[in-house]
Amino acid sequence: AGSTLGTVAYMSPEQVRGEDVDARTDIWSLGAVFYEMLSAKSPFAGDYEAAVIYSILNEHPAAINSLRPEVSPEIEAIISKCLEKEPTVRYHEIAQVISDLTIYKSGKTKAGSASTQSFREKIARPLFILPFIFFLLIVGYFLRVFIITVER
């Protein structure tokens, strides 16, 4: 009691409020990591923990392509859906995120500009993205097991 388990910057709104959490909380955290990887900024920043919590609960992150114009609208949409404050609007399971990333990678979405195309070639390779997603899922699983163990 009285302490925070986990890194506040990656906590979902429902986790911050102390509500029950499920896979959608992990998807939120994944969205926060993706946002930070692509923009080099945390989606919910603050100088102290309470400011970050306020930002998570009340503010929307800046559009990634306003920070990095080469990020495609499709990738931004996927990350935005991961970071939906309302869990019922967020992706419900990681398979949905992977499906949207796979569709994006296959090029079945709108054709991007030349700069978007080069960005797509850099990050959407299965040799990079799939092992990274797998790694994040494993880390999330072990963190969840650790948190459940600590709570008991």
Side-chain angles (χ1 to χ4, degrees), residues 26-81:
D26 296 331
I27 292 169
W28 167 280
S29 299
L30 178 65
V33 169
F34 280 167
Y35 183 101
E36 194 167 348
M37 284 173 49
L38 294 175
S39 69
K41 294 185 181 288
S42 176
F44 304 100
D47 292 335
Y48 46 92
E49 195 173 275
V52 175
I53 289 171
Y54 177 86
S55 180
I56 289 169
L57 295 173
N58 300 295
E59 297 173 353
H60 293 283
I64 295 172
N65 62 16
S66 70
L67 304 167
R68 295 275 307 271
E70 66 272 20
V71 175
S72 73
E74 295 88 356
I75 290 293
E76 180 150 13
I78 291 168
I79 294 170
S80 292
K81 189 167 182 177

Side-chain angles (χ1 to χ4, degrees), residues 12 22 31 40 57 61 65 67 79 94-95 117 119 129 141 144 150:
S12 67
D22 57 21
L57 295 173
N65 62 16
L67 304 167
I79 294 170
I94 195 65
Q117 194 69 13
F119 179 75
I129 201 89
Y141 171 78
R144 190 174 202 145
V150 169

Side-chain angles (χ1 to χ4, degrees), residues 90-109:
R90 199 177 307 143
Y91 288 104
H92 292 254
E93 50 191 48
I94 195 65
Q96 295 170 315
V97 179
I98 293 170
S99 174
D100 281 357
L101 289 169
T102 303
I103 290 168
Y104 171 75
K105 182 189 175 305
S106 72
K108 293 181 181 174
T109 56

